[in-house]
Amino acid sequence: MRPEDLPQTVEDYRRAAGAALPPATAAWLNGGAGDEITLRRNEAAFDALPLMPRVLRDGGSGDTSLTLLGTRLDHPILVAPMAWQRLLHPDAERALAAGATAQGARMVLSAQATTPLAEARGAGALCDWFQLYWLGREGTLALARRAADAGYAALMLTVDAPVAGQRPREMRAGFALPPDLSPVNLAGLPRPAAGSFEEVMAAAPRWADLEWLCAAAPLPVLAKGILHPGDAARAVAAGAAGVVVSNHGGRVLDGLPASVEALPAVASALAGRAPVLVDGGIRRGTDVLRALALGADAVMVGRPAAWALAVAGALGVAHVLRLLRDELRIAMAIAGCRSPRDIGPSLIFRQNPPEGCLTASSQAK
Ligand SMILES: Cc1cc2nc3c(=O)[nH]c(=O)nc-3n(C[C@H](O)[C@H](O)[C@H](O)COP(=O)(O)O)c2cc1C
């Protein structure tokens, strides 16, 4: 490969994955719900947030580390749960786990993984959070126990997809799961009947179920897919160990705010009582910086890791995460931030601050 052909950015990986994957698989990976307004908005919202650097400050050493649910991490970039990774690379979740761990990135294994959870856990020390879809109380608890027995350290219950979203792009491309793919980790679990729409909705989780799971599960539970600050507060009151501000990468319901637009109100509702993560549209280190400035403790990337997995397996995943880490560190240094503690809302430039917002003088600390 010529140097000019090596991917240098997440965007390069997106293009390379588009060329490498069968068109129907690319449509499944890249597409979103409905007219894909939310999908586009997730990225556009980051573009629309200019950064306001501070100069001539003490340099520091570009510390990006943090403690998340009791574990020290080198940086705040996690890999989001993504289903069916064998569609992208034969080494699937094992490659993602190895690549993420090589770059100090925690990975969340999807409930719809194509690799047994113990095998994925063994492929990378930082593949240690497990995502759950609701399977009814008995099935969900049994799955949570399987994850705990395999050495996972936390669970992430996805709450924004009581039914599957409609994704016209993949429907037009004729995408269908190959018959030999199955959610291997769900085998043998009791599951509610899921035939008609009514049956699926009747089996969807409610607040009482989240509260029950947080009390019954052997591991801390984060709630993924929260946009409303009231829901965030309610999740923490129900016992959630953290929340993920997310619209599922624009894949479930179209017409939602970008997750980074919903983030500040959630962060202020929780006021540090529980960690706030955000995902959706993060494509550069500067986007990570923007998310931290608006109140996130950490971020998750989905498609960037999937594109890199499709292009170059574990090496690609490690490389794309390295790029994001480096971009974050450099952006922090140039913006005058020695560590995440220096990152706050005044890092976001506002031309006409609405009444009640920080003004230039109140930011001049
Ligand atoms: C191909 C694909 C599969 C996904 N599968 C899951 C899943 O199994 N469980 C889940 O909670 N979220 C799933 N998501 C959503 C991601 O966890 C995450 O919220 C989203 O990808 C973040 O947006 P980004 O792709 O713009 O970074 C999936 C996303 C993609 C792109």
Side-chain angles (χ1 to χ4, degrees):
M1 204 182 251
R2 298 172 308 164
E4 59 268 37
D5 295 332
L6 277 175
Q8 297 296 341
T9 62
V10 166
E11 193 53 41
D12 291 347
Y13 271 108
R14 184 201 317 246
R15 268 193 297 273
L21 287 171
T25 309
W28 163 76
L29 172 59
N30 294 329
D35 292 320
E36 303 189 339
I37 297 167
T38 303
L39 176 74
R40 289 190 295 275
R41 193 171 175 120
N42 273 347
E43 292 184 8
F46 279 108
D47 295 349
L49 287 172
L51 291 163
M52 176 54 85
R54 301 302 299 269
V55 297
L56 296 175
R57 287 183 162 175
D58 281 352
S61 58
D63 174 21
T64 58
S65 67
L66 75 160
T67 301
L68 193 57
L69 294 194
T71 321
R72 193 91 187 137
L73 297 170
D74 288 345
H75 59 82
I77 306 164
L78 286 74
V79 181
M82 283 178 292
W84 317 125
Q85 291 176 20
R86 202 169 302 275
L87 290 172
L88 304 174
H89 192 277
D91 296 336
E93 289 84 3
R94 281 185 290 118
L96 199 85
T101 300
Q103 282 304 322
R106 170 164 276 156
M107 164 181 164
V108 188
L109 188 76
S110 166
Q112 291 176 326
T114 48
T115 305
L117 40 73
E119 225 179 272
R121 180 81 189 85
L126 287 176
C127 175
D128 68 348
W129 283 12
F130 185 75
Q131 178 256 329
L132 302 168
Y133 280 120
W134 187 250
L135 302 171
R137 290 193 178 187
E138 203 191 335
T140 307
L141 187 58
L143 184 56
R145 290 196 174 124
R146 280 185 187 177
D149 290 346
Y152 286 80
L155 304 166
M156 189 175 272
L157 180 70
T158 299
V159 296
D160 61 5
V163 293
Q166 281 186 302
R167 297 196 289 269
R169 195 198 301 202
E170 72 182 48
M171 286 150 79
R172 272 184 226 113
F175 173 79
L177 271 185
D180 59 332
L181 272 196
S182 69
V184 287
N185 294 304
L186 309 187
L189 290 175
R191 297 167 77 166
S196 68
F197 186 85
E198 288 74 15
E199 276 172 346
V200 173
M201 281 313 289
R206 306 277 187 270
W207 283 110
D209 296 311
L210 177 66
E211 194 169 343
W212 170 85
L213 182 67
C214 291
L219 298 172
V221 179
L222 296 99
K224 172 176 184 276
I226 296 221
L227 293 173
H228 195 288
D231 284 350
R234 193 160 176 188
V236 172
V243 301
V244 184
V245 179
S246 173
N247 52 36
H248 216 111
R251 294 171 74 80
V252 175
L253 180 61
D254 200 17
L256 302 176
S259 37
V260 72
E261 292 174 306
L263 169 66
V266 169
S268 83
L270 294 191
R273 280 180 291 135
V276 176
L277 282 73
V278 65
D279 73 17
I282 290 164
R283 304 291 179 256
R284 327 160 177 112
T286 44
D287 295 338
V288 181
L289 186 56
R290 290 171 167 102
L292 298 186
L294 292 175
D297 295 286
V299 306
M300 301 200 300
V301 293
R303 293 180 185 85
W307 293 324
L309 175 66
V311 171
L315 262 181
V317 172
H319 183 222
V320 85
L321 289 163
R322 179 82 230 174
L323 292 173
L324 287 168
R325 281 182 74 170
D326 286 350
E327 287 173 9
L328 171 63
R329 202 161 177 224
I330 290 167
M332 281 174 63
I334 297 173
C337 304
R338 284 153 300 189
S339 79
R341 277 182 305 283
D342 289 340
I343 302 173
S346 63
L347 210 57
I348 303 294
F349 172 70
R350 295 190 200 280
Q351 216 146 17
N352 297 305
E355 224 175 313
C357 274
L358 292 174
T359 61
S361 59
S362 69
Q363 292 180 52
K365 56 172 178 148

